[in-house]
Amino acid sequence: MAAASVTAAPTPVHIEKRGVILDKLKDAFAKALTSLQCGACVSALVVAKDVSYLNRNWVLDAANSLCSSFKIMDQDVCKGLVYTQGPVLIESAMRAKLLSGDGKMICFQILGACPAPAITSGTLTFPKPKPTNITVKAASGNRVDVLHISDWHVDDQYVVGSNAACNKPLCCRKYADSPLVPGRAASSWGDYNCDAPVKLGQDMLKFVPTVANPSFSILTGDIPPHNVWAETREMVMAEETAAYSVMAAGISNVYPAVGNHEAAPANLMPTPNTGGDYKWLYSHLADEWARWLPADAVNSVRNYGAYTASPAPGFRIISLNTNFCYTMNFHLYGALKDYDPFGELKWFISQLQAAEDAGERVWVIGHVSPSQTDCIQNWSALYYQVVQRYSPHVIAEQFFGHSHYDEFAISYAPGAKNAQNAILTSWIAPSVTPYTDLNPGFRLYKVDTGNWNVYDSNTYVADLSKAATWDATGATPDWHLEYSAREAYGAHVPIAADQPLSPAWWHNVTSAFESNDAAFQKYWTYRGKSANRMAACTTNTSCPKEMICDMRAGKSTDTCSQPSFGLQKREDGTEYEDGPVALDVTGLRSAFGPAKKPWNRKLCGLPSI
């Protein structure tokens, strides 16, 4: 009989070596996080890469230990995130040329620890030059309604009466350490600390037909809830199937886009140059979306999630997988010189050129907007070149989500940022989920079927502060029109009834915000969907100026809200406590305490929105 194989116990020398190395790793990580110095951040990456050649698990163990000792998250959340997200970041660091610029790029895009590197993605070549005398199709006078839903994040594990003020990134669930008596009991309709319960999403879809009969709908990504430290492939597939089934029962003709939460683990979508296979996700989405999309579009989705489809003659929608520019897609850092993963932008250009040749109008939809700091700058710069080439005569509008806020951004032709040069609007939709501190909402656009431009944008919300009253009285959510963009901002920038809400008009609206604080404060209220739970954005801070700058930033290099991150050491010097963070890059609710710039709090990262 063959002897059973026996694994030798680690020698004392090996154990001692591991302990010393883990201490050095934790020191390097701590210095990077607490100092936010570029050199310290790059050094931490280099140390982690060197140790990974010995044992990758040591790097993960050090990160997990640091996460717990910093009290960044509960131990189970730390462990779940570190051991699902960490291996991809380690693999990318090992592929990257950390001392030749890649390290600084990673430290800038994730932590904001380094200055923004120069754009190196170059200049695109197009099949044909832009026509010199461009004309935009005339309006037909026929207006239709289009529904825009984003960031669904309905939680099928939502438990009524559970703790809505918990110690996890996502509350209103039963956890092993949940208290017997909740600090605040979750209502049946939702809570500002939680994702949406199933019946809130269903009720919203039931309300839509009472105010409109949408010609079609766009869904700009993010279906699963925010328990990203515990999500599995099987879980997200089941959640996506359930959500699409609910939507199919309530609305028709849906054109979806891929969100960062559709992945498992969240955010991590590999490319051909990074290794890894996500055919399971794209095949699953193709099967689910087949109820709405034509066969050729379904086949296209199976490649990497992008497709094009035509809801009406002379008009097409191009759905992009913008997760290939998402800063929290750690796969991307292993191939930073791959400026166009999967050749998606090349394909995008070919579709736009075909549309130009055919005289078609185009809508672009995606999840992460190229205008947001969450989009890697090299990719965003290339995308912006495409926008400048094919706008405004081909691309009529573009629609995104991801931020959970009600926002917009403007793209410009080369030259000054003024009304004359404004060529395209990015409509960034409010989320269905109230996560966090937002009312649930959706948009209805009034669209002309000749030029396919937006003539009004109506945002509907439900006031979640009344959730306990709804439960007590047996009422349902008070879905109502929060505002009409034409009416709200037309009061400050008048617009003729036969004119669309054009990029030039939106630029003039931002000018009104500069000169009229009351107009800006109106926007600020609507940005948070009238929940009135966001930090103030007052003229005695840099907030209004930064927000207006961001509205005029069609690409991430132009934003004034750059990534930033920080921790603060306790006075006793023994461990680290919650400290200031300018942009909540991790997406954790108050993970690092009050923000230096609380108006910039992000709701999507790790645990990721």
Side-chain angles (χ1 to χ4, degrees):
M1 179 182 295
S5 61
V6 177
T7 302
T11 65
V13 173
H14 185 77
I15 294 173
E16 181 181 357
K17 181 179 180 181
R18 177 184 181 277
V20 171
I21 289 176
L22 257 62
D23 286 343
K24 289 183 177 179
L25 272 170
K26 287 190 285 186
D27 286 346
F29 291 162
K31 184 177 181 181
L33 291 173
T34 56
S35 72
L36 283 185
Q37 293 178 351
C38 184
C41 179
V42 174
S43 177
L45 287 174
V46 171
V47 172
K49 180 175 181 177
D50 289 344
V51 173
S52 295
Y53 285 111
L54 292 174
N55 191 321
R56 297 188 186 195
N57 285 332
W58 291 358
V59 180
L60 298 175
D61 293 345
N64 183 47
S65 175
L66 194 71
C67 178
S68 298
S69 64
F70 270 36
K71 302 184 186 301
I72 295 173
M73 297 169 265
D74 277 5
Q75 288 188 1
D76 61 326
V77 180
C78 284
K79 183 177 180 180
L81 285 175
V82 167
Y83 291 100
T84 57
Q85 301 283 329
V88 174
L89 188 54
I90 289 173
E91 177 63 28
S92 290
M94 295 184 74
R95 290 170 175 262
K97 297 179 180 179
L98 296 178
L99 297 178
S100 299
D102 288 357
K104 290 182 179 180
M105 175 65 80
I106 295 170
C107 288
F108 164 72
Q109 293 284 189
I110 297 178
L111 294 184
C114 293
I119 299 300
T120 57
S121 46
T123 302
L124 291 171
T125 300
F126 295 99
K128 297 179 182 179
K130 188 171 185 175
T132 53
N133 297 313
I134 61 173
T135 57
V136 175
K137 277 191 173 182
S140 67
N142 179 48
R143 308 281 167 79
V144 296
D145 292 316
V146 176
L147 173 65
H148 187 178
I149 297 174
S150 196
D151 296 270
W152 177 256
H153 295 300
V154 165
D155 187 2
D156 62 0
Q157 298 300 310
Y158 186 102
V159 176
V160 178
S162 62
N163 193 12
C166 70
N167 57 356
K168 298 284 195 292
L170 179 65
C171 298
C172 300
R173 288 176 154 226
K174 283 290 187 183
Y175 296 108
D177 59 352
S178 293
L180 294 177
V181 179
R184 182 177 72 249
S187 84
S188 72
W189 289 107
D191 188 275
Y192 289 115
N193 275 353
C194 310
D195 275 327
V198 172
K199 75 174 189 176
L200 181 66
Q202 292 172 328
D203 194 72
M204 186 205 77
L205 294 176
K206 190 184 301 183
F207 171 77
V208 171
T210 69
V211 291
N213 180 25
S215 177
F216 60 89
S217 303
I218 54 176
L219 170 64
T220 50
D222 268 11
I223 296 299
H226 287 91
N227 61 319
V228 297
W229 67 96
E231 287 275 34
T232 65
R233 179 187 303 189
E234 292 72 25
M235 289 169 66
V236 299
M237 290 175 69
E239 289 156 354
E240 289 157 9
T241 295
Y244 295 134
S245 297
V246 168
M247 292 179 195
I251 52 179
S252 58
N253 302 326
V254 180
Y255 295 91
V258 185
N260 56 295
H261 274 270
E262 270 70 280
N267 313 327
L268 304 180
M269 297 189 186
T271 74
N273 284 334
T274 65
D277 182 9
Y278 248 42
K279 287 293 185 183
W280 68 267
L281 173 62
Y282 303 128
S283 293
H284 173 66
L285 293 178
D287 291 343
E288 292 295 335
W289 296 354
R291 70 188 81 201
W292 297 308
L293 301 180
D296 58 342
V298 172
N299 290 333
S300 181
V301 171
R302 295 187 192 279
N303 294 325
Y304 51 85
Y307 67 89
T308 182
S310 178
F315 169 60
R316 70 176 47 255
I317 290 173
I318 298 176
S319 179
L320 297 177
N321 186 347
T322 57
N323 296 290
F324 299 131
C325 86
Y326 185 34
T327 57
M328 289 295 165
N329 182 359
F330 294 150
H331 281 290
L332 302 178
Y333 298 114
L336 281 168
K337 294 298 188 290
D338 180 11
Y339 300 122
D340 184 17
F342 280 102
E344 182 178 32
L345 291 176
K346 182 178 180 181
W347 171 82
F348 183 38
I349 291 169
S350 71
Q351 298 302 313
L352 291 171
Q353 187 59 58
E356 182 179 76
D357 293 343
E360 294 179 329
R361 294 286 274 168
V362 171
W363 279 9
V364 181
I365 66 173
H367 183 60
V368 177
S369 172
S371 67
Q372 296 167 340
T373 58
D374 283 350
C375 185
I376 287 177
Q377 292 192 350
N378 273 317
W379 193 96
S380 178
L382 291 178
Y383 180 88
Y384 203 66
Q385 292 179 45
V386 180
V387 164
Q388 290 183 325
R389 164 61 182 85
Y390 291 100
S391 302
H393 61 301
V394 178
I395 306 176
E397 309 283 1
Q398 53 185 355
F399 304 87
F400 303 100
H402 184 64
S403 74
H404 292 202
Y405 298 119
D406 185 331
E407 299 176 302
F408 67 92
I410 306 164
S411 298
Y412 298 86
K417 289 186 176 182
N418 54 35
Q420 291 71 31
N421 269 342
I423 55 174
L424 190 61
T425 303
S426 296
W427 302 84
I428 302 170
S431 60
V432 173
T433 183
Y435 187 92
T436 57
D437 290 331
L438 302 170
N439 281 323
F442 65 91
R443 278 198 193 140
L444 281 166
Y445 301 110
K446 190 68 70 174
V447 178
D448 186 275
T449 58
N451 55 25
W452 291 99
N453 285 126
V454 172
Y455 280 70
D456 202 1
S457 171
N458 295 300
T459 298
Y460 289 81
V461 299
D463 185 356
L464 200 59
S465 68
K466 299 177 181 177
T469 301
W470 300 334
D471 280 345
T473 61
T476 56
D478 63 340
W479 297 102
H480 61 277
L481 176 65
E482 181 191 22
Y483 77 103
S484 150
R486 176 177 286 272
E487 292 180 8
Y489 301 129
H492 306 284
V493 182
I495 180 172
D498 63 347
Q499 294 300 305
L501 304 187
S502 68
W505 180 78
W506 277 114
H507 178 89
N508 289 333
V509 169
T510 66
S511 296
F513 291 164
E514 286 180 313
S515 60
N516 185 336
D517 186 58
F520 177 81
Q521 293 304 325
K522 184 185 295 185
Y523 164 79
W524 193 246
T525 297
Y526 295 150
R527 182 176 182 263
K529 293 179 277 181
S530 295
N532 297 316
R533 297 172 67 90
M534 294 196 308
C537 188
T538 56
T539 54
N540 63 340
T541 69
S542 62
C543 176
K545 184 177 180 180
E546 287 187 15
M547 292 297 102
I548 293 168
C549 168
D550 290 353
M551 295 171 201
R552 295 171 177 171
K555 56 181 175 179
S556 57
T557 48
D558 285 356
T559 61
C560 291
S561 302
Q562 293 301 324
S564 184
F565 185 92
L567 293 170
Q568 180 177 333
K569 197 167 186 177
R570 287 185 173 175
E571 291 183 1
D572 61 13
T574 57
E575 56 183 318
Y576 296 88
E577 65 178 2
D578 294 348
V581 54
L583 273 182
D584 186 3
V585 176
T586 63
L588 286 166
R589 293 179 299 99
S590 304
F592 299 99
K596 290 178 181 176
K597 296 180 179 179
W599 55 82
N600 274 339
R601 187 162 67 99
K602 285 200 177 192
L603 302 178
C604 201
L606 284 177
S608 172
I609 295 180

